[in-house]
């Protein structure tokens, strides 16, 4: 089980060793590494110094200034911004999807581009979003993406659309999502020093349907990586980009 891969194809290639299946909860793309500002699409285009400045502004929640910085930098690149980003994402996806073992079950993160996944997901990779699948006799439900934020990452959707996907999944043994339920200890990032967006609909579904596990990522350095909500064990299985180690679910 991995989440927030963010370009770590090297460790991803070994993540499924000894397991019956690999489950990936999204964020394959590395746009900007908050720990190493020289890594990612943004510094490749604009340099580590500008990347550091962007991280500084975002961490201070000065999102308007961060957008202004981005606008100035992109104006100097010329050409079609979406095409430039897509080309860089495609390069990462080609490497990352080829590292997935068979079988892999995956859903999208908030920085992913779902429209590109069908081109790179091979026959051994099953992509699910608002859907269920049986693995080893247990029913797993998958809901990808994130909720809308000032960061404006590629796959952010409305609360209503997200809640509909949670509803479509229904009662499962393991509820797999990219973002966590909206619980302060699970959504606060201790390094970025901010609350990320969790899902109230997910929290309500956990309380109502009582899955054995709620598994997620998104928050890289959470205040709490694991806690119980009623009968459900809630676990942040990331941050794979930093640790390089999968989280194992055994039954």
């Amino acid at each position: 089980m991995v989440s927030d891969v963010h370009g770590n194809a090297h460790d991803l290639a070994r993540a499924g060793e000894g397991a019956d299946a690999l489950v990936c909860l999204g964020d394959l793309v590395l746009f900007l590494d908050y720990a190493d500002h020289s890594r990612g699409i943004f510094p490749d285009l604009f340099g580590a110094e500008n990347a550091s400045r962007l991280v500084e502004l975002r961490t201070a929640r000065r999102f308007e200034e961060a957008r202004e910085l981005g606008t100035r930098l992109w104006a100097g690149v010329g050409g079609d911004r979406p095409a430039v980003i897509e080309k860089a994402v495609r390069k990462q996806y080609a490497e990352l999807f080829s590292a997935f073992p068979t079988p892999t079950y995956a859903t999208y993160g908030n920085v992913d581009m779902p429209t590109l996944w069908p081109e790179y997901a091979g026959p051994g990779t099953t992509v699910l979003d608002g859907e269920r699948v049986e693995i080893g006799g247990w029913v797993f439900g998958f809901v990808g993406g994130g909720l809308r934020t000032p960061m404006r990452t590629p796959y952010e959707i409305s609360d209503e659309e997200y809640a509909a996907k949670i509803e479509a999944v229904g009662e499962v043994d393991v509820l797999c999502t990219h973002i966590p339920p909206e619980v302060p200890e699970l959504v606060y990032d201790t390094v970025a020093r901010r609350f990320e967006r969790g899902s109230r609909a997910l929290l309500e579904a956990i309380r109502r349907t009582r899955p054995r596990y709620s598994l997620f990522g998104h928050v890289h350095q959470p205040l709490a990586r694991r806690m119980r909500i009623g009968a459900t064990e809630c676990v942040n299985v990331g941050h794979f980009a930093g640790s390089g180690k999968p989280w194992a679910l055994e039954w």
Side-chain angles (χ1 to χ4, degrees):
M1 185 82 60
V2 299
S3 184
D4 299 87
V5 176
H6 292 304
N8 189 354
H10 178 265
D11 291 317
L12 185 62
R14 300 194 301 267
E17 290 180 357
D20 294 323
L22 177 70
V23 172
C24 177
L25 303 184
D27 271 9
L28 299 183
V29 173
L30 178 61
F31 189 76
L32 175 58
D33 189 330
Y34 276 57
D36 181 353
H37 302 167
S38 68
R39 297 182 64 244
I41 294 171
F42 190 90
D44 285 350
L45 291 169
F46 305 118
E49 184 176 340
N50 283 317
S52 296
R53 178 58 177 159
L54 184 66
V55 169
E56 178 186 337
L57 290 172
R58 285 182 171 180
T59 301
R61 303 187 66 79
R62 293 157 61 184
F63 296 117
E64 190 59 41
E65 291 177 66
R67 280 193 288 273
E68 290 173 359
L69 172 63
T71 299
R72 290 198 305 272
L73 293 172
W74 279 105
V77 170
D80 184 355
R81 173 176 174 173
V84 171
I85 294 176
E86 182 176 316
K87 181 179 179 181
V89 170
R90 284 181 177 277
K91 181 179 178 181
Q92 292 188 10
Y93 277 167
E95 183 178 14
L96 291 160
F97 276 92
S98 67
F100 277 146
T102 297
T104 291
Y105 300 89
T107 196
Y108 317 112
N110 61 291
V111 303
D112 285 312
M113 298 177 68
T115 56
L116 299 182
W117 279 37
E119 296 183 44
Y120 296 94
T125 299
T126 302
V127 180
L128 302 121
D129 188 15
E131 299 164 285
R132 301 148 55 102
V133 68
E134 184 177 315
I135 306 173
W138 280 14
V139 178
F140 286 64
F142 290 80
V143 174
L147 298 175
R148 288 176 181 153
T149 72
M151 305 285 277
R152 299 181 182 177
T153 51
Y155 191 42
E156 293 180 354
I157 60 177
S158 70
D159 289 58
E160 293 76 18
E161 186 179 352
Y162 194 89
K165 291 196 293 184
I166 292 287
E167 186 68 24
V169 164
E171 295 187 14
V172 295
D173 296 300
V174 185
L175 187 48
C176 299
T177 58
H178 177 66
I179 62 174
E182 192 179 272
V183 176
E185 295 89 341
L186 298 177
V187 300
Y188 185 73
D189 192 306
T190 60
V191 175
R193 303 194 303 277
R194 65 169 179 259
F195 289 96
E196 303 289 355
R197 282 214 67 188
S199 169
R200 170 63 58 175
L202 172 58
L203 177 59
E204 291 173 353
I206 290 168
R207 289 171 171 163
R208 184 177 68 254
T209 66
R210 300 164 60 88
R212 299 172 191 256
Y213 288 91
S214 167
L215 306 178
F216 47 86
H218 186 56
V219 183
H220 292 179
Q221 296 89 15
L223 192 60
R225 290 198 175 274
R226 190 168 188 154
M227 68 184 297
R228 292 193 72 83
I229 298 176
T232 303
E233 188 74 12
C234 301
V235 185
N236 186 319
V237 304
H239 159 244
F240 186 76
S243 71
K245 297 178 181 179
W247 184 82
L249 176 62
E250 299 180 5
W251 68 92

